[in-house]
């Protein structure tokens, strides 16, 4: 494994750190937020808009792309970068999350997972090796090993089996990946929910195999917040300093700040983009539901402190009108704002760490979030 | 009436001309195409994208904006330019087209028109003076007088009555507009379908009243093409040289070229934007239906001769994938392409006239349109 990550600075008062993930499609400064582009686009935006917002890494979904347009189609067109024309880094998930959450008929066996396409019911079997092959063909910068997770809560016995399956698959993924990748990384996922014995065992297994980065999976599914944060904290202590750490699918800014403080480097979530399309906007002072009648004549921007294209140009009244009239442009402008909000907070986080101002920044963001939106 | 229009050059071989419509929000070079932004936005695009495409004039719908968010709301926020943040020129239609086409209960009387909102059934009565007031409050650069038109075909008797009502309303609109507008123009609409006696009478009435620009209404509703073009040609001969001429709602490029040749200056149509959202793309070689399976692995851009953002960056295969997956971004990228296609043809038309190349350009565009799309 070549060098995949540099730690650039560490917060003296916590485990927060800033760094750089190196990819063949440019560096990704951490702590980083990867906007979700399931089908190869951030919903509603052009890549030019996403780049303008400062995103250096997109998460695309192997599962969705495997079903449509198909891996052979994408590979035949030169891989995911050529197919989508996204020039910066791409992380693809293993598809596990979509298989378990979108395919109620998914059956996990030692060899792999059998499921039915949520689009047309087609029966599919994927082994961990298949999932590596898919991502190799896609040409993802960061590939994720197939893991197995359970909804929360699950019995200890079932969870133990899921951890064992995840470790077995991780080993097979790593073996299969070796020698086949060119300029790509494979990251391992550990499981075990908030059961520390199981999580610890899972991390130890995954570490023993060795990956370019380490992800905590199966969290944010309804566990008590304190147990979740305790799990993140203990996990980060076990993980090596010189590899990036990825907390999958966690999206609330308050949680992200806690996780950064405990040593996490990478995040992804549909929250800013999905909420934008549903008319829920994040601001420095709290959430704003744009369809609210009280904004019908409000000349202010969504967030008076925000410098995004939407806030620089448009009033709440106009945005409410577009949303209420179900204009596509409402989804576009709202997505620009919410993604700017997220990416800007990550920029602030990254800047705060070498300046030893992370604790101040965290306090400031959390305090403002509690104020009532005017 | 102050000067609203300059003719810059005339085609020696036809009635085509290039010119400038002067507005308080910048000049509009003619022949011009006004993209439709019914609710205050081109569907799917940001104003920045629309400006980048070169649009200097948008058509917004008085009827839609009157119903939502309401004229008082827009006026309270500083008018349509301030409300939408669109900085260039705005033309608002009178709402007549929407009233007659969206409100089956519309009743026309001498005093005005009574109709039920297509959104919630609210009963509304609007006089020609009301329609002027609405557009004055909106602050439109170009306001249109309320007209009355009938579906094609209509009996001569009914059509004669519609022309009379249109003339009566035009006179009342002009009287009401006088002295109330600041930096705004009022354009008159003539009716009469392709019945030349009626059309001529309508034009003479409207000319006698006097407007800043003259629109041909009630065309493109199914009349035989030859009669339509004959009507356009004769109408242009009656209309003064020094006022802009507007052919409302006509959108096929072939028809636009014929109308430009006969002396029309301004066009609007939902065709490029609506077709884009429905996956029909215009190219220099004909129409392309992006959902067609044959494009699933096609690495070429929509149009190999096109310099738009979409064609510079994306393959037919990717665009088909986004369309098939119902991604919002498909509507965005397709709209960028189709609007670019239209606005670029208008740019070519404007450039061709002073160079005496309009006939060549027309021939070239029409010849290529007949080729089969590869």
């Amino acid at each position: 494994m070549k060098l995949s990550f540099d730690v650039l600075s560490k917060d003296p008062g916590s485990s927060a750190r800033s760094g750089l993930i190196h990819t063949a499609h440019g560096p990704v400064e951490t702590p980083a937020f990867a906007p979700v582009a399931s089908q190869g686009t951030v919903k509603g935006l052009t890549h030019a808009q996403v780049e303008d917002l400062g995103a250096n890494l997109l998460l695309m979904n192997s599962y969705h792309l495997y079903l449509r347009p198909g891996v052979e189609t994408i590979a035949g067109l030169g891989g995911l970068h050529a197919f989508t024309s996204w020039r910066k880094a791409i992380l693809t998930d293993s598809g596990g999350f979509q298989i378990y959450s979108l395919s109620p008929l998914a059956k996990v066996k030692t060899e792999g997972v059998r499921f039915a396409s949520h689009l047309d019911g087609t029966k599919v079997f994927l082994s961990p090796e298949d999932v590596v092959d898919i991502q190799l063909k896609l040409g993802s910068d960061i590939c994720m090993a197939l893991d197995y997770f359970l909804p929360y809560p699950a019995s200890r016995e079932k969870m133990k089996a899921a951890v064992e399956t995840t470790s077995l698959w991780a080993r097979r993924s790593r073996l299969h990946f070796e020698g086949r990748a060119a300029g790509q990384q494979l990251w391992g996922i550990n499981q075990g929910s908030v059961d520390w014995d199981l999580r610890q065992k899972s991390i130890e297994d995954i570490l023993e195999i060795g990956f370019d980065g380490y992800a905590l999976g199966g969290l944010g599914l309804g566990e008590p917040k304190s147990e979740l944060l305790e799990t993140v904290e203990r996990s980060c202590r076990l993980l090596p300093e010189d590899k990036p750490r990825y907390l999958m699918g966690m999206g609330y800014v308050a949680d992200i700040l806690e996780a950064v403080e405990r040593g996490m480097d990478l995040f992804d979530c549909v929250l800013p983009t999905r909420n934008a399309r549903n008319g829920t906007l994040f601001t420095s002072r709290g959430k704003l539901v744009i369809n609210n009648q009280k904004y019908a004549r409000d000349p202010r921007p969504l967030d008076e402190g925000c410098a995004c294209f939407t806030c620089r140009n448009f009033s709440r009244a106009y945005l409410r009108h577009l949303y209420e009239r179900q204009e596509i442009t409402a989804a576009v402008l709202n997505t620009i704002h919410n993604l700017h909000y997220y990416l800007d907070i990550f920029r602030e986080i990254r800047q705060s760490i070498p300046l030893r101002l992370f604790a101040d920044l965290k306090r400031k963001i959390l305090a403002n979030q509690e104020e009532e939106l005017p």
Side-chain angles (χ1 to χ4, degrees), chain A:
Chain A
M1 277 175 284
K2 63 179 172 41
L3 183 73
S4 62
F5 184 62
D6 279 320
V7 175
L8 297 182
S9 66
K10 299 205 267 184
D11 180 33
S14 77
S15 299
R17 72 237 193 106
S18 67
L20 275 183
I21 301 171
H22 302 284
T23 83
H25 294 90
V28 179
E29 296 171 287
T30 64
F33 182 78
V36 175
S38 299
Q39 315 270 7
T41 181
V42 172
K43 290 187 192 303
L45 301 197
T46 67
H47 294 339
Q49 289 169 325
V50 177
E51 275 198 44
D52 280 353
L53 290 166
N56 292 317
L57 175 67
L58 292 185
L59 182 146
M60 301 188 188
N61 287 118
S62 298
Y63 170 83
H64 289 298
L65 296 167
Y66 171 82
L67 296 179
R68 299 275 195 286
V71 175
E72 296 311 325
T73 293
I74 295 173
L77 289 159
L80 205 40
H81 283 91
F83 176 66
T84 63
S85 303
W86 172 253
R87 299 175 294 188
K88 299 191 167 190
I90 296 173
L91 180 152
T92 43
D93 61 6
S94 66
F97 184 81
Q98 280 71 34
I99 292 170
Y100 308 128
S101 59
L102 294 179
S103 306
L105 302 176
K107 285 255 182 267
V108 174
K109 303 190 172 188
T110 311
E111 312 87 73
V113 58
R114 191 175 301 281
F115 62 96
S117 157
H118 76 291
L119 295 177
D120 60 9
T122 307
K123 297 285 198 309
V124 181
F125 173 80
L126 292 177
S127 69
E129 290 83 358
D130 292 334
V131 168
V132 166
D133 280 335
I134 289 169
Q135 296 177 83
L136 288 173
K137 285 182 188 166
L138 292 176
S140 325
D141 297 292
I142 300 174
C143 309
M144 302 301 299
L146 183 64
D147 60 333
Y148 179 34
F149 77 90
L150 299 166
Y152 179 86
S155 74
R156 189 155 205 277
E157 190 185 9
K158 281 191 177 164
M159 187 63 76
K160 188 162 180 289
V163 163
E164 280 164 11
T165 301
T166 296
S167 295
L168 174 71
W169 289 356
R171 193 173 303 277
R172 287 169 48 185
S173 301
R174 181 78 236 171
L175 276 172
H176 192 75
F177 185 81
E178 213 52 57
R180 286 189 170 82
Q184 295 171 276
Q185 306 181 15
L186 182 66
W187 290 23
I189 306 174
N190 55 72
Q191 288 291 344
S193 186
V194 291
D195 181 322
W196 180 245
D197 287 347
L198 292 179
R199 179 68 65 175
Q200 183 171 17
K201 173 68 168 68
S202 185
I203 293 175
E204 285 166 357
D205 286 353
I206 303 298
L207 283 177
E208 193 197 313
I209 299 163
F211 288 92
D212 300 294
Y214 296 97
L216 274 62
L219 291 173
L221 304 174
E223 321 84 42
K225 188 62 58 71
S226 60
E227 294 183 32
L228 189 157
L229 293 178
E230 180 75 15
T231 301
V232 169
E233 184 166 338
R234 289 179 168 197
S235 299
C236 284
R237 280 198 219 119
L238 282 188
L239 292 168
E241 278 279 314
D242 63 348
K243 295 290 174 196
R245 305 162 184 163
Y246 172 19
L247 186 54
M248 302 181 83
M250 296 272 293
Y252 286 101
V253 164
D255 298 342
I256 286 168
L257 289 164
E258 298 294 346
V260 165
E261 187 175 78
R262 285 159 177 80
M264 297 304 305
D265 304 303
L266 179 60
F267 301 83
D268 80 274
C269 195
V270 294
L271 203 64
T273 43
R274 181 175 292 166
N275 275 13
R277 298 194 304 282
N278 295 335
T280 300
L281 287 316
F282 296 106
T283 81
S284 58
R285 303 180 71 181
K287 269 194 270 186
L288 185 157
V289 177
I290 195 61
N291 203 30
N292 196 314
Q293 173 64 34
K294 72 179 171 182
Y295 301 126
R297 295 179 175 216
D298 191 335
R300 292 174 296 174
L302 291 171
D303 188 340
E304 284 169 293
C306 178
C308 83
F309 173 79
T310 304
C311 287
R312 274 187 284 116
N313 287 285
F314 304 106
S315 65
R316 296 176 186 180
Y318 180 64
L319 295 170
R320 178 183 187 275
H321 164 66
L322 295 186
Y323 183 82
E324 196 267 333
R325 295 286 79 221
Q326 302 180 297
E327 284 284 342
I328 299 174
T329 307
V332 174
L333 296 176
N334 291 347
T335 301
I336 287 173
H337 172 78
N338 270 3
L339 265 191
H340 175 91
Y341 177 77
Y342 266 69
L343 293 168
D344 205 51
I345 282 184
F346 275 82
R347 183 187 55 73
E348 288 189 291
I349 291 173
R350 288 193 299 271
Q351 290 178 349
S352 75
I353 295 171
L355 298 172
R356 308 186 166 206
L357 291 170
F358 174 72
D360 289 349
L361 176 70
K362 182 188 164 200
R363 200 162 31 240
K364 189 197 85 182
I365 293 172
L366 294 183
N368 287 338
Q369 290 275 325
E370 283 168 340
E371 277 183 33
E372 189 147 331
L373 198 71

